[in-house]
Amino acid sequence: MKIAIIGGGAIGLLFSYYLGQTHQVTLYTRTKGQADLINREGLTIVDGDKTVCQSIEVKQVEHWDGSDDITFITVKEHQLSSIISMINQQSKKIGSLFFLQNGMGHLKWLPETRAESIYLGSIEHGAARVKGHIASHNGHGVTRVAVYKGSDNLLRELLATTTSGFPFAFEQDYEEMLVKKLIVNLVINPLTAAFQVTNGTLLTNPFYYKVALQVFDEAAKVLNIHNKEEHWLNVLSVCKQTSTNRSSMLKDIEAGRKTEVDAILGYLLEESRAKQISVPVIRNYFNLIKGKEFQRGGD
Amino acid sequence: MKIAIIGGGAIGLLFSYYLGQTHQVTLYTRTKGQADLINREGLTIVDGDKTVCQSIEVKQVEHWDGSDDITFITVKEHQLSSIISMINQQSKKIGSLFFLQNGMGHLKWLPETRAESIYLGSIEHGAARVKGHIASHNGHGVTRVAVYKGSDNLLRELLATTTSGFPFAFEQDYEEMLVKKLIVNLVINPLTAAFQVTNGTLLTNPFYYKVALQVFDEAAKVLNIHNKEEHWLNVLSVCKQTSTNRSSMLKDIEAGRKTEVDAILGYLLEESRAKQISVPVIRNYFNLIKGKEFQRGGD
């Protein structure tokens, strides 16, 4: 299959490497500098004490023309608007699109996006970009995938050809899949960033645990969750499995980068407004994280 | 006047120095080490680029017998229970007591406290203990005083004899006086400790400002404040006047000490429970600060 991957962050590099083993992959980066770097040095993945390198075709994103069978869009939600414009400006027929953003904020862009089929994914890998051409694969998990619109043919073809070290799992209901991940993210990400602690600390510190429960309860009301206990146990289980990890939002705050707070808590706030449900603690953490970004000049 | 001061923290040292200029003061400390240190080295106050030293009588708190005209109790609210037991165990008649705690949590101890007259104070000085015998007087302000029970005779006598560098101001209504200070403390202290910023940042960071307003609104409901705007302007004015200061709660967290969160937010939570008013954001900050204490082993 001809696969395009847009975005040279940790997830873009990880997908380029693993899908590149069985498919013809082109990675599209925002900067020419990163494209040149990877074309020259190859793409390196650090996985525990194993380091692997692979040569790969990389272009600047302006050169993407939609002719690939599937295009994976791995940029963060707050970088999505320019990508969507680019997609909609293509004059030719576009292949299938595969969105891999956190949260559910990206759903609002999809109805107006030109594409035959649209797939959505929810990633349970831990990954970090070490340098422009090096990513570390910190936690092995699965990529959950679901159909948003169109046929599932290409998706099933993709699932049949993936390698064992990088599994995909088919999900029937894209909304349930995203809600499950969103709840995990909206409890773990803002609180670990606010408290500056590892994921596991939300379990071991009884006071932070109470705060996590406050945030979860407000979110469950807005998202109209029926199987609350199941979702809470899932949050606890992820905290436990990733107990020594520093969350992406904590890392973003520490590095002075813009976080995904809009895609995660911002989405919840919009929903709560539409449904007229009061979420004071979530509103507080939205402003707390925005305030931290403001302090660091991360805007 | 014969004056006793219980507590060798910043406030205890500051009061010992200034009241010692016109009265016969004995300072009572918890540890023999600190008493010996001050008896040997004298009491030093650093005030800007001026450093003054004064010899003073210091004893361990077990030797306090209530025979002084006024006893100032400067320990923090969470250290008060043992002091109250000690007071109530005295067999002789006890002079007037003067409580200088932050918050309003100490009011619950007063009805059962044996004493002719009880006075309350609200301190608007900035002070920090540098060493066991050295305090720095960072911000010059006023000590507001009011009668809780008994006669105001001794209080007026005290006010007539104080020095110009350390003024007292008489207030008619102890509750209004404490509420005013409590509101300032409960907005500034927990938020600066949570965000790890100076007091002025609550004004200059628009997101932190919104959080401050959330906390203030919940507190105003519980404390049944009618003149809300006046109180909010007072909070803003204190943030501005002390803009470069690090709050006592922030300093306590950074030093791994127990904070005054029980006296400040804990008191609000108790009141909200009694009045059945929901305060999710205040509850969140109570647990956030308790969580930080727990992380540092500050208990």
Side-chain angles (χ1 to χ4, degrees), chain A residues 104-161:
Chain A
M104 294 175 79
H106 55 304
L107 293 185
K108 67 174 174 291
W109 300 101
L110 304 188
E112 53 171 276
T113 302
R114 280 186 54 213
E116 246 177 89
S117 302
I118 295 184
Y119 309 135
L120 297 172
S122 162
I123 298 169
E124 297 177 4
H125 290 275
R129 195 173 84 167
V130 181
K131 286 186 177 174
H133 64 306
I134 306 176
S136 66
H137 193 176
N138 300 323
H140 281 254
V142 66
T143 302
R144 301 192 182 278
V145 301
V147 176
Y148 174 78
K149 84 167 187 190
S151 137
D152 65 0
N153 288 348
L154 269 180
L155 195 58
R156 295 206 179 268
E157 200 181 314
L158 180 80
L159 264 64
T161 59

Side-chain angles (χ1 to χ4, degrees), chain B residues 231-249:
Chain B
H231 278 283
W232 179 241
L233 291 175
N234 183 50
V235 171
L236 299 185
S237 146
V238 174
C239 283
K240 201 171 173 185
Q241 280 162 33
T242 62
S243 63
T244 59
N245 285 14
R246 301 175 81 73
S247 75
S248 60
M249 197 174 282

Side-chain angles (χ1 to χ4, degrees), chain B residues 12 46 52 80 104 109 141 161 181 212 223 240 251 264 266 295:
Chain B
V46 180
V52 286
L80 210 51
M104 294 176 78
W109 299 101
T161 59
K181 179 85 185 289
L223 297 170
K240 201 171 173 185
K251 286 192 266 189
I264 299 173
Q295 282 306 103

Side-chain angles (χ1 to χ4, degrees), chain A residues 27-41 56-61 132:
Chain A
L27 171 63
Y28 293 89
T29 61
R30 189 171 53 79
T31 67
K32 187 169 181 305
Q34 191 184 9
D36 291 347
L37 177 69
I38 304 174
N39 281 323
R40 198 174 60 237
E41 304 283 338
I56 186 179
E57 189 180 18
V58 193
K59 295 179 180 169
Q60 250 194 297
V61 71

Side-chain angles (χ1 to χ4, degrees), chain B residues 35-73:
Chain B
D36 291 347
L37 176 69
I38 304 174
N39 280 324
R40 197 174 63 237
E41 304 283 338
L43 169 61
T44 296
I45 301 291
V46 180
D47 183 358
D49 46 11
K50 205 179 70 186
T51 298
V52 286
C53 187
Q54 185 177 292
S55 71
I56 186 182
E57 189 180 17
V58 193
K59 295 179 180 171
Q60 250 194 296
V61 71
E62 291 90 293
H63 298 293
W64 180 83
D65 65 0
S67 64
D68 310 83
D69 297 314
I70 305 185
T71 297
F72 287 82
I73 296 151

Side-chain angles (χ1 to χ4, degrees), chain A residues 3-39:
Chain A
I3 289 180
I5 292 172
I6 297 181
I11 295 302
L13 298 182
L14 207 64
F15 273 68
S16 297
Y17 173 76
Y18 284 104
L19 296 179
Q21 301 192 322
T22 38
H23 299 281
Q24 184 192 335
V25 166
T26 309
L27 171 63
Y28 293 89
T29 61
R30 189 171 53 79
T31 67
K32 187 169 181 305
Q34 191 184 9
D36 291 347
L37 177 69
I38 304 174
N39 281 323

Side-chain angles (χ1 to χ4, degrees), chain A residues 191 194-197 201 204-208 210-211 214 218 279-281 283-295 299, chain B residues 191 194-197 201 204-208 210-211 214 218 279-281 283-295 299:
Chain A
L191 298 190
F195 308 155
Q196 298 172 282
V197 296
T201 311
T204 55
N205 185 313
F207 303 102
Y208 291 168
K210 282 184 198 173
V211 175
Q214 272 193 301
E218 288 189 357
V279 288
V281 179
R283 180 174 306 285
N284 161 67
Y285 280 103
F286 178 80
N287 283 314
L288 188 154
I289 299 296
K290 284 278 184 188
K292 278 188 183 274
E293 288 182 355
F294 183 87
Q295 283 305 103
D299 253 358
Chain B
L191 298 190
F195 308 155
Q196 297 174 281
V197 296
T201 310
T204 56
N205 184 314
F207 303 101
Y208 290 168
K210 283 185 198 172
V211 174
Q214 272 194 302
E218 286 188 359
V279 288
V281 179
R283 181 175 305 283
N284 161 66
Y285 279 103
F286 178 79
N287 283 314
L288 189 154
I289 300 296
K290 284 278 183 186
K292 279 189 182 274
E293 289 182 356
F294 184 87
Q295 282 306 103
D299 256 357

